[in-house]
Amino acid sequence: MLSAVLSLNALGLAAAAPLESRQVVPHYPPTQQSKGFHLIANLTDPSQDFTPPVNSWQLSGIHVGAGLNDAVLAASKGQLFYQNGTAEQTRYNQAHTLSDGGTPLFPWGIAVDDQADTEGVLHGISINAGSGQVGIQLAQFPEHYPILRTPAPGTYVACNQTEPYYHTNYITVRAMFDTFDSTTGRYVRHVPENCVAITLVPQCAELPALPSGSMSSHEFANTVNCYADVASIDWPEYGP
Ligand SMILES: *[C@@H]1O[C@H](CO)[C@@H](O)[C@H](O)[C@H]1NC(C)=O
Ligand SMILES: *[C@@H]1O[C@H](CO)[C@@H](O)[C@H](O)[C@H]1NC(C)=O
Ligand SMILES: *[C@@H]1O[C@H](CO)[C@@H](O)[C@H](O)[C@H]1NC(C)=O
C-alpha cells in the first residue's frame, strides 16, 4: 500500500500541475473507546449473505449443556463482552474475551477449538463458563481494524448448521484457518459451502458495574477501541 501511495505522489509530482485535491492517504472509520462491547458480524462479501441476511448480526452464546455455550449470531442484542488482561498481557496478545452470566455473575470466555489444524475443517467456538482462550482478543496496531483475532491466520465464518441440542438450524460462528501453499508461497483461505466469511467487529457498549456477590471482576477489563454503530459504517468510503 505504501508503495502505491508513493507512486501516486510521484505521478502527481511528475505531472507538475495543481491536481484537484484527492485523498490518497488511507483513512479508517472513526473509533471510540469503551470497556464493554458487542461483537458485530461484518460479511467480507455481502453478496454472499444468507436469506434472511445476517450481516450486522451479533455474536451470542446459546446454552448447549451445563456451563457450555455454542457461538451463534443473533438478529438482535448479542452478548456484552469485555477484554480481560493486564496492560502487558494485552500488548503481547495474551488477553482474552469475557462475558458475564449466571447467578451470581461469573465469567464466560470465548475459545476457538484450534486442535485439529487441518484444511477444510470448521473450528468450533465456545463461550463457556471460565476464562476462555488467551489470545482471543481485539487486534491492535499495526492492524487497521480492532477486529477479534483468530488463533492462527484465517477467518471467522458464519454457517447455517443444525444445533443437535435444539434439532434446529442456527447461524453458527466458526473459524477456518488458512493453509500454506508451498508452490505459490501464499496462504490460501477456505470458506465451506454453507458458510460465509465474516469479521467480528467491536461495537462500543457500557460495561455495567457488577452487583455485589459477583464472581466476575472488571478489575482487568481493558478500555478498547470500538465503533459507535458498525451497521452504519459505509465501508467503501474508507480504507486503503
Ligand atoms: C466490512 O465489510 C466490508 C465489505 O462489505 C469491507 O470492505 C470492510 O473492510 C469490512 N470491515 C472490517 C473491519 O472487517
Ligand atoms: C439453513 O438451512 C436450512 C436447511 O437446509 C434451510 O431450510 C434454511 O432456510 C437455511 N437458513 C438460511 C438462513 O439460509
Ligand atoms: C483477568 O485477568 C487477570 C490479570 O491477568 C487475571 O488475574 C484474571 O484471572 C483474569 N480473569 C479471568 C476470568 O480469567
Side-chain angles (χ1 to χ4, degrees), residues 117-137:
D117 187 11
T118 325
E119 182 171 345
V121 170
L122 284 170
H123 296 266
I125 302 183
S126 57
I127 311 173
N128 293 345
S131 295
Q133 183 174 346
V134 162
I136 306 297
Q137 68 170 71

Side-chain angles (χ1 to χ4, degrees), residues 42-46 55 145 147 199 201 227 235-236:
N42 184 56
L43 262 71
T44 306
D45 179 358
N55 200 14
Y145 302 111
I147 57 176
T199 53
V201 184
Y227 301 97
W235 294 104

